[in-house]
Amino acid sequence: MEISTGIRRLGTGIVNAYLVEAAGEVTIIDAGAPSYWGDLPAELAAMGRTLDDVRAVVLTHGHSDHIGFAERIRRERGTPILVEELDAALARGEVPNPSKGLGPVKLSPLLGFVWFSATHGMLRIPRIAEVSTFGDGATLDVPGSPRVILLPGHTPGSAALHVPSHDALFVGDGIATYSVTTGVDAPRLAPFGADQAQALASLARLDGLEAGFVLPGHGQAWTRGVAAALAEVRAAATGG
Ligand SMILES: [Zn+2]
């Protein structure tokens, strides 16, 4: 579906992947669930584009619910897969998920997420054989020219990607607007984090950044700007 001019989303909001179009070329941000591979041609067509126009897949981090069809597009199309260097081994499946557990859980949303996973190919996600890496502060030479802001905590190499030309900040799991373990529909720290205190502290790196659209890995698009999203996350995290 269309999020804004030049940005479309795969998925209904539980697990998100995004297409960013610039000058007729496309960057895919996160690769969602494996089943999204089947949705990709129609989503590209809605932008007037095809798989031939996809230049890169950029991962916000190495968690399995973000790498869904990455190995498939790499193997079948030769599309490069980019990830922050500290998450490269995780994306390649060489190290275990550093997640420290679920945090608070409500049964119904958690079962909904498990059901989604089971029906979208997420129980067996192919590891990525080869990734290219980037570091904090880099401006990536891919369509949209995303700038990397490292947000360690959810994983060591979690990164937000700022695309000023599209007024968008792709936050990965730095901020979730839907929490798959609790069902909360508002900006929060994502569950399944390696270090939630560090994840909260890392959000200071987004202070002062201008983007109307905050686009998370899980949940609906936030359209009220970065500062308002950060305020909600912080208020919830400190019990306010
Ligand atoms: Zn994650």
Side-chain angles (χ1 to χ4, degrees), residues 61 63 65-66 154 173:
H61 62 296
H63 272 160
D65 53 337
H66 296 254
H154 182 72
D173 287 357

Side-chain angles (χ1 to χ4, degrees), residues 59-63 83-84 86-87 90 134 136 148-160 171-174 202 205:
L59 303 176
T60 59
H61 62 296
H63 272 160
V83 65
E84 212 281 339
L86 296 171
D87 266 23
L90 182 60
F134 53 77
D136 185 29
V148 175
I149 303 148
L150 185 64
L151 300 177
H154 182 72
T155 61
S158 278
V171 287
D173 287 357
S202 286
R205 308 201 72 213

Side-chain angles (χ1 to χ4, degrees), residues 56-59 69-71 73-74 79-83 128 130-133:
V57 174
V58 181
L59 303 176
F69 61 80
E71 174 60 10
I73 196 170
R74 189 199 70 79
T79 307
I81 314 297
L82 284 65
V83 65
I128 307 171
E130 232 180 274
V131 296
S132 305
T133 60

Side-chain angles (χ1 to χ4, degrees), residues 146-187:
R147 188 173 65 83
V148 175
I149 303 148
L150 185 64
L151 300 177
H154 182 72
T155 61
S158 278
L161 302 163
H162 185 209
V163 182
S165 60
H166 291 54
D167 193 30
L169 179 68
F170 297 87
V171 287
D173 287 357
I175 298 172
T177 59
Y178 175 73
S179 296
V180 297
T181 49
T182 62
V184 170
D185 241 326

Side-chain angles (χ1 to χ4, degrees), residues 6-10 16-22 25-33 36-37 39-41 43-44 47 49-61 66-70 72-74 77 79-83 134 140 142-146 161 163 170:
I7 302 178
R8 298 189 70 87
R9 187 186 72 202
L10 292 162
N16 299 330
Y18 297 95
L19 315 183
V20 178
E21 190 263 345
E25 300 184 317
V26 176
T27 296
I28 298 176
I29 296 184
D30 283 335
Y36 291 2
W37 178 247
D39 306 326
L40 187 54
E43 210 61 50
L44 285 163
M47 300 179 126
R49 309 263 67 93
T50 72
L51 279 169
D52 289 338
D53 301 313
V54 176
R55 293 289 166 268
V57 174
V58 181
L59 303 176
T60 59
H61 62 296
H66 296 254
I67 72 175
F69 61 80
R72 182 130 188 210
I73 196 170
R74 189 199 70 79
R77 311 287 307 187
T79 307
I81 314 297
L82 284 65
V83 65
F134 53 77
L140 305 181
V142 302
S145 304
L161 302 163
V163 182
F170 297 87

